[in-house]
Amino acid sequence: MTMRHVTRRAALAAGGLAALGAPALRAQGAVSDGVVKLGVLDDMSGVFADQQGMGDVVSARMAIEDFGGRVLGAPIELIHGDLQNRADVGLGIARRWYDQEKVDAIFGIGNSAVALAVQPLAQEKRRIAIATAPGTTDLTGRACAPLGVQWTYDNYALAKGTVTPLVRGGGRKWFFITSDYAFGHSLEQNAAELVRRLGGEVTGAVRAPLGETDYSSHLLRAAASEANVVGIAAAGLDLVNIVKQMGEFGLARRGIQPAALLCLLTNVRAMGLQTAQGLVFTEAYYWDQNDETRAFARRFEAIHGRPPTMMQASVWGAVTHYLNAIRDAGTDAAEPVMARMRATPINDFMTRNGRIREDGRVIRDMYLLRAKRPQDSRGEWDLLEVAGTIPGEEAYRPLAESECPLVRRT
């Protein structure tokens, strides 16, 4: 074979390889900085760490691995940070991520005050913020933003799902113990509105600092108010401590029902079924609902040591939906990606026929859960039973009542 033939063959081979590689090269060119970078910003060390925290990071990693680790030919990277339940700390991390570390989307944002600070920053930086953990309805109300999504639940849905059956069942006088920050205020406001709308009465309320450990004076006020329901507008360890102390004070024996307005699997585990039995609350997911939820929970537990909470499970769906939108849009630019996310139905192990409404609220079914009696539990994490389903179109605040400026008015 002559040198001329070798050169010609090499050139043809190189041309063929270049042609095969062209789509990948073009695709990677559509990804800013040659990488798709995601951040999980959560409480990693405080009162909410068990229900979000590193469990959210595990779920995000699972989603990235299930997707194949690359999108449009570019690698997908994941970082995480601890917001410490402080708006200044969380906002500072988000700003650094967007400005210096070129993060394309932030997930979790597990504190309502932090989420309300991060969402307008994302809009300013033309990046995406997907709040899977906070519950304040302001995120899709007066503070809604075109590049913001509230993925898992909100305080209106939690309150409606729990308040409605309790009031109709005779729990008509409510006293609220409320965590004194944006999440607690929003949860109390939504629940109190529903109590009054259903013909009930709010007999009083107290605000408690985040992380308080002694609720005795608050519980004495609740008992003195003649309420027959204590609405607990708190979460994490605060919720656990309030329910435990209600048991120690014997409030249940006096006919006073605890109403956990945000309760999760890990909270019930921390309370123990002897204390939690009969407690009703609303969630977007329970690990033992069906074959698909159980399959995901087994994979998650093999890594994290326990089944996921609704927040942790929802991160998988949020990350997957976001990566699918990048693939379908052919770019990681925020506006076209968000347009694809809003146009595409959400279907995964946790959500059936979900959608992102124009105010940024994901519409999905919610579930009324009840803590089991100790004798009915078959294992360490067999703690709850599904008592009812609230269809997504009924669970959330109607758009006609929304303060979101993005909502089209007729």
Side-chain angles (χ1 to χ4, degrees):
M1 184 180 293
T2 66
M3 182 61 68
R4 178 182 176 190
H5 288 126
V6 171
T7 304
R8 185 169 180 271
R9 181 176 294 177
L12 288 171
L17 288 171
L20 287 172
L25 291 171
R26 284 197 299 270
Q28 189 156 344
V31 171
S32 59
D33 309 304
V35 61
V36 172
K37 199 166 187 178
L38 314 183
V40 172
L41 181 61
D42 270 327
D43 179 0
M44 300 292 179
S45 56
V47 295
F48 307 131
D50 272 355
Q51 62 197 42
Q52 40 176 279
M54 288 305 297
D56 281 7
V57 178
V58 167
S59 194
R61 284 177 179 154
M62 290 172 65
I64 292 168
E65 290 169 6
D66 290 347
F67 197 82
R70 302 180 73 85
V71 60
L72 299 180
I76 305 164
E77 294 183 3
L78 179 69
I79 61 175
H80 60 84
D82 186 354
L83 52 75
Q84 299 177 38
N85 290 310
R86 289 176 50 188
D88 59 337
V89 172
L91 182 61
I93 293 171
R95 188 178 297 278
R96 186 183 76 244
W97 282 1
Y98 286 144
D99 287 346
Q100 300 173 26
E101 302 193 37
K102 308 303 181 186
V103 167
D104 296 288
I106 297 178
F107 297 81
I109 325 179
N111 177 290
S112 288
V114 176
L116 289 169
V118 169
Q119 185 159 275
L121 175 68
Q123 189 65 35
E124 174 193 334
K125 302 297 181 182
R126 297 180 65 191
R127 306 293 173 85
I128 285 174
I130 302 179
T132 56
T136 177
T137 49
D138 284 346
L139 280 173
T140 54
R142 58 190 177 189
C144 70
L147 298 177
V149 175
Q150 192 169 22
W151 187 269
T152 312
Y153 73 103
D154 66 25
N155 290 341
Y156 181 93
L158 295 184
K160 184 173 183 180
T162 303
V163 168
T164 303
L166 286 175
V167 173
R168 289 176 177 168
R172 304 183 68 80
K173 292 186 176 182
W174 286 61
F175 184 97
F176 288 93
I177 300 177
T178 302
S179 285
D180 194 11
Y181 75 112
F183 162 80
H185 301 171
S186 171
L187 193 50
E188 179 193 326
Q189 178 185 355
N190 281 282
E193 287 176 0
L194 285 163
V195 168
R196 295 186 181 103
R197 189 181 302 173
L198 292 167
E201 174 189 353
V202 176
T203 64
V206 292
R207 300 281 171 86
L210 189 66
E212 185 167 2
T213 56
D214 183 2
Y215 293 90
S216 56
S217 63
H218 306 324
L219 293 171
L220 288 172
R221 285 186 60 184
S225 75
E226 300 185 349
N228 57 3
V229 179
V230 173
I232 306 170
L237 289 177
D238 293 345
L239 164 69
V240 172
N241 286 331
I242 293 168
V243 174
K244 283 184 172 181
Q245 289 173 38
M246 283 189 69
E248 293 165 4
F249 274 76
L251 266 60
R253 292 193 298 272
R254 298 168 61 178
I256 302 174
Q257 163 85 38
L261 297 173
L262 173 56
C263 187
L264 297 163
L265 178 71
T266 49
N267 306 142
V268 175
R269 170 74 158 63
M271 295 172 197
L273 285 183
Q274 192 62 44
T275 297
Q277 60 182 309
L279 188 68
V280 294
F281 52 93
T282 303
E283 285 204 50
Y285 164 90
Y286 178 52
W287 72 269
D288 199 18
Q289 285 176 271
N290 55 53
D291 289 344
E292 288 184 276
T293 59
R294 285 187 287 271
F296 180 82
R298 284 193 295 270
R299 292 177 57 208
F300 182 94
E301 186 173 7
I303 301 168
H304 197 57
R306 64 186 65 179
T309 65
M310 71 167 174
M311 296 172 184
Q312 293 163 347
S314 74
V315 172
W316 189 96
V319 169
T320 299
H321 196 69
Y322 171 71
L323 294 175
N324 280 331
I326 291 176
R327 181 198 61 204
D328 295 344
T331 177
D332 67 344
E335 288 86 356
V337 169
M338 183 57 71
R340 290 301 308 171
M341 290 181 69
R342 290 174 180 269
T344 306
I346 303 166
N347 282 290
D348 56 42
F349 70 88
M350 179 174 169
T351 308
R352 289 287 178 271
N353 299 317
R355 62 185 178 88
I356 301 175
R357 203 166 63 176
E358 59 193 280
D359 58 352
R361 167 73 264 151
V362 168
I363 303 300
R364 59 152 51 82
D365 291 350
M366 300 291 288
Y367 304 97
L368 186 67
L369 301 181
R370 181 186 298 114
K372 290 186 172 183
R373 299 181 303 169
Q375 61 267 35
D376 295 332
S377 174
R378 299 165 298 171
E380 180 182 10
W381 294 100
D382 180 31
L383 303 175
L384 307 174
E385 58 188 357
V386 178
T389 299
I390 305 127
E393 297 300 333
E394 299 175 14
Y396 299 95
R397 188 184 300 280
L399 273 181
E401 299 176 12
S402 175
E403 297 180 276
C404 173
L406 302 176
V407 174
R408 292 185 296 274
R409 308 296 177 184
T410 56

